Amino acid sequence: MKYIFTLLFALALISCSDEADVKDDIQTSQEVTTPVFNTKAIGSKVMMQAFYWDVPAGGTWWNTVKGKVPAWKNAGIDAIWLPPATKAQNGPYSMGYDPFDYFDFGSYNQMGSTETRFGSLSEIQSLISTAHTNGISVIADIVINHNSGGASQANPFTGGNTWTDFQPASGLFNRSYYDFHPNDVHSGDSGSFGGYPDLCHDKQYVQDWLYNNSNSIAKYYKNVMGFDGWRFDYVKGFEPWVVKNFKNAAGGFAVGEYWDGNAATLEWWANQAEASAFDFACYYRMRDAFMGNDLTQLNGDMLLKRNSYKAVTFVANHDTDEIYNNKLLAYAYIMTHEGYPCVFYRDYEEWLDKNKMNNLIWIHNNKASGNTTYLYADNDEYVARRNGSPGLVVYINNSNSWQERWVDTNWANTVIKDYTGNSGWEPTTQGDTWVKIQAPPHGYTVWSVK
């Protein structure tokens, strides 16, 4: 996580990447009432991370995202992940990762503003309703490791004063030193982050307000605001059962930010939390492959190879963006492989060729099915096959020239084509299912039945 620390009441507590045109034959494709909508289960298509670090302040972001929703629907997005949506200590300037009042979506004048950085209560309600009308689910970013913005109070567990007196204007989930570490239950917690007051999840009171109560954060977000799923921030800071209990109390999709490149560790956390995890193992293997010019790195261990149903794959996000060379090749990888791909807002809207991104999303949603057979990898070339119906063969070429390769497919005596438009070949597979395909320099092709 990125946090910008500034001095407030003598305590530092403030938060917490020219592509050529695609050829013409490319394939594209606070009382409220929860709106009625009909969305597919999150994970069936592609997720959009609908923000980046330091999006424009001034309360305009919810309306900006709302204006993008119809086009995202047409592109094949099935869920949008929003930043932390409630009032944080840094008020109109906060990205939300320094949470103060979990029930203030921009309707209480506190922390220097009524609106959040992103907008007002009515604007986020309108955004969620518009997403649902377009068949898109909405994922809330949940920050429950730490809090920020409490007043100073004498703390008998530290022998001094701590910033742990939380009296939010919503009147919901007031907190004191008993609800943070250290307290009468624990002397400390390994999940403490950046000096922020660290919530104690073993406290029944904390559990009740997070997910047990009828007006808990989990149930209010789901039943009143209309959120459909959860992205949990900094889950290394608390035990996996917290995510499990939160998700089970309210339902919905859940994914955790367990920032670790070890696929076995990610698998362990996902199993314990009964949730998905961002596939940092895949991210780091792609970084080493595409930044280090060694596509054999893609043979490495990843969560998507261990449990594809729990893997949310990504090329960049608001915290990390290390794959700045050959980034479209990385997107070609996650859009053709198993796992649930997440697209970064700036990659899609600003930095990469949107036509090519839409093409890859279309390929993912229409061709990328079944398990994976890894066919070939060296420093410059990588080939894999998805074995579903119709399935595909992806050929990534990171060399400086066109490459050709014979590959084994699942199709006998069948005409195939490249659905990216990068190759004009339409070869016929042999009776033994083998065929020669090609890929452009620093590019990719994706082959399937014509």
Side-chain angles (χ1 to χ4, degrees), residues 35-337:
V36 177
F37 64 100
N38 181 21
T39 59
K40 293 183 178 180
I42 298 174
S44 60
K45 294 184 177 180
V46 174
M47 180 196 304
M48 174 69 71
Q49 180 178 357
F51 66 99
Y52 54 92
W53 196 258
D54 283 346
V55 301
T60 63
W61 192 249
W62 297 146
N63 285 337
T64 296
V65 173
K66 175 183 172 182
K68 304 286 186 183
V69 163
W72 290 350
K73 172 199 175 181
N74 292 336
I77 301 299
D78 72 343
I80 55 174
W81 156 27
L82 300 184
T86 53
K87 194 68 59 64
Q89 181 187 359
N90 208 19
Y93 306 106
S94 177
M95 285 298 297
Y97 291 94
D98 51 337
F100 175 73
D101 188 340
Y102 288 99
F103 296 87
D104 180 4
F105 288 85
S107 56
Y108 296 98
N109 187 0
Q110 59 182 335
M111 295 299 160
S113 68
T114 298
E115 292 190 347
T116 67
R117 180 189 190 104
F118 314 112
S120 67
L121 170 63
S122 63
E123 288 167 343
I124 190 173
Q125 290 171 350
S126 181
L127 165 57
I128 294 172
S129 177
T130 299
H132 288 167
T133 299
N134 282 273
I136 293 179
S137 298
V138 185
I139 298 173
D141 201 319
I142 303 296
V143 185
I144 53 174
N145 177 71
H146 53 270
N147 290 171
S148 188
S152 179
Q153 62 180 172
N155 189 331
F157 302 108
T158 65
N161 277 39
T162 53
W163 303 83
T164 48
D165 183 11
F166 286 78
Q167 305 294 326
S170 67
L172 303 173
F173 196 18
N174 295 343
R175 285 145 279 167
S176 72
Y177 53 75
Y178 280 108
D179 306 310
F180 299 93
H181 298 100
N183 55 27
D184 55 336
V185 176
H186 297 295
S187 61
D189 176 54
S190 61
S192 180
F193 183 87
Y196 291 84
D198 185 37
L199 271 175
C200 178
H201 290 277
D202 287 314
K203 283 283 191 175
Q204 188 66 49
Y205 178 80
V206 173
Q207 295 175 22
D208 288 344
W209 273 109
L210 289 183
Y211 45 79
N212 285 333
N213 290 346
S214 61
N215 62 341
S216 64
I217 293 168
K219 293 172 184 175
Y220 190 91
Y221 280 42
K222 182 73 181 294
N223 299 330
V224 178
M225 293 301 296
F227 283 101
D228 309 290
W230 325 101
R231 179 267 184 187
F232 290 92
D233 181 67
Y234 192 59
V235 296
K236 280 188 173 182
F238 46 88
E239 296 300 318
W241 58 260
V242 177
V243 169
K244 176 182 175 180
N245 289 355
F246 191 107
K247 181 203 68 174
N248 288 345
F253 172 84
V255 58
E257 181 212 31
Y258 198 98
W259 199 321
D260 197 298
N262 187 301
T265 302
L266 296 173
E267 182 183 34
W268 164 82
W269 183 88
N271 288 338
Q272 292 295 309
E274 297 181 2
S276 296
F278 285 100
D279 196 346
F280 281 92
C282 174
Y283 172 77
Y284 286 120
R285 301 299 86 73
M286 290 194 300
R287 181 200 63 182
D288 295 345
F290 296 116
M291 297 299 296
N293 299 314
D294 180 9
L295 300 194
T296 65
Q297 294 292 330
L298 299 176
N299 290 332
D301 198 7
M302 306 174 186
L303 180 58
L304 71 87
K305 298 180 181 181
R306 289 171 171 260
N307 188 339
S308 63
Y309 295 102
K310 295 290 183 69
V312 177
T313 55
F314 65 100
V315 176
N317 62 31
H318 64 295
D319 282 330
T320 185
D321 189 8
E322 299 175 87
I323 308 173
Y324 48 86
N325 289 335
N326 305 303
K327 187 176 264 192
L328 267 174
L329 277 63
Y331 274 107
Y333 182 87
I334 68 169
M335 292 294 180
T336 55
H337 284 66

Side-chain angles (χ1 to χ4, degrees), residues 362-413:
W362 184 92
I363 287 171
H364 174 270
N365 294 345
N366 291 276
K367 300 294 182 181
S369 63
N371 60 17
T372 305
T373 300
Y374 302 96
L375 299 175
Y376 183 81
D378 62 20
N379 285 358
D380 295 328
E381 298 174 66
Y382 174 87
V383 188
R385 184 180 73 226
R386 294 294 298 276
N387 296 310
S389 178
L392 59 80
V393 174
V394 57
Y395 188 178
I396 298 175
N397 173 21
N398 200 25
S399 76
N400 295 322
S401 59
W402 281 85
Q403 298 295 331
E404 301 174 0
R405 186 161 295 280
W406 283 92
V407 298
D408 188 13
T409 75
N410 288 325
W411 313 299
N413 304 312

